[in-house]
Every structure is written in structure tokens, then in C-alpha cells.
Amino acid sequence: MKVHGVVWVGTRTPAFAETLAFFRDLLGIDLQEVAPGFGWSRMPNTSQLEIFGPDDADHLEFTTGPVPEFLVDDLQSAMQELREAGVEILGRPGMEDDGKSGWVHFRAPDGNVYGVTDGPQYRR
């Protein structure tokens, strides 16, 4: 597996409004989508930030803090390598609507949650 960089970070927080304001107002991140319990930004370098509120039911495994995802060339191959190494895969892989990119989360030896992702929307 070859990692090209960290291209996505998601965080689930009980302090959603304060976290959203922190990223938007203090760090100056342009949040292109804001909805109840959800904030999203695509950065100029193509990386993404997502903020999930406490009512989000899709990211229940995000229990250890922010979750970074690493860009790989082939998600299926990366998952196979993780499985062969005995790494715990969390849930099922996700897939974008375009069918060209996906992701999967896993628990590393430090107990934290990380992910691998692929897709043409990220600059290598």
C-alpha cells in the first residue's frame, strides 16, 4: 500500500455549533455546506473536512477524536492488506455516488480510528 497524503478529516462532536464556528470563524475555513448537525468543506488542495453533530447516525465509530483518511491508489487492495495484517475494519466500506471513490475505517494498534480512501477528486 502506498499512501499519498491525508486528504479527509472527519470529527464527531457534542459541541457542534461551537466547533463549526471555530473552524469557520477562527481558522477561516470556507464551509461550503452547513446543515443541522453537518458541516463540509473542500480545501484548495482538494482535501476535505467534515463536522458531524451528536445526532449523526452514520459515524458512530468516531469515538476517539478526529478521524483522518489516507489517500491510497486502490481501496480494495488496501483493505486486503489491512485484513491480512489483522487490523480491525469498522463497518462496511462507503462509496461515493459516482462509484469511483470510496473509503473504509479501521482501528489502529493505538486504539484510534483512521481510514483509507481512494478517488479521482483528490490531487496526488
Side-chain angles (χ1 to χ4, degrees):
M1 172 180 345
K2 178 178 170 119
V3 170
H4 297 283
V6 176
V7 294
W8 184 92
V9 173
T11 189
R12 181 184 171 92
T13 175
F16 177 77
E18 297 85 352
T19 303
L20 190 78
F22 174 82
F23 284 118
R24 181 190 59 221
D25 302 336
L26 185 61
L27 297 184
I29 294 174
D30 178 24
L31 295 166
Q32 290 98 26
E33 185 177 339
V34 176
F38 179 73
W40 174 82
S41 176
R42 180 179 306 277
M43 309 289 178
N45 72 349
T46 72
S47 63
Q48 296 182 58
L49 168 69
E50 291 189 75
I51 306 162
F52 307 104
D55 296 334
D56 175 71
D58 294 326
H59 301 88
L60 299 177
E61 72 273 18
F62 287 21
T63 59
T64 61
V67 175
E69 286 183 0
F70 300 96
L71 180 62
V72 296
D73 289 321
D74 184 289
L75 181 62
Q76 296 302 319
S77 294
M79 283 181 17
Q80 184 62 30
E81 285 186 48
L82 291 167
R83 283 190 181 109
E84 288 173 1
V87 174
E88 176 189 5
I89 302 295
L90 303 172
R92 295 169 27 154
M95 183 62 65
E96 290 290 341
D97 292 337
D98 64 6
K100 296 178 182 174
S101 56
W103 64 90
V104 69
H105 297 116
F106 58 90
R107 191 170 310 281
D110 65 1
N112 289 322
V113 177
Y114 300 89
V116 288
T117 187
D118 66 0
Q121 74 271 31
Y122 297 115
R123 203 167 42 205
R124 286 171 168 71

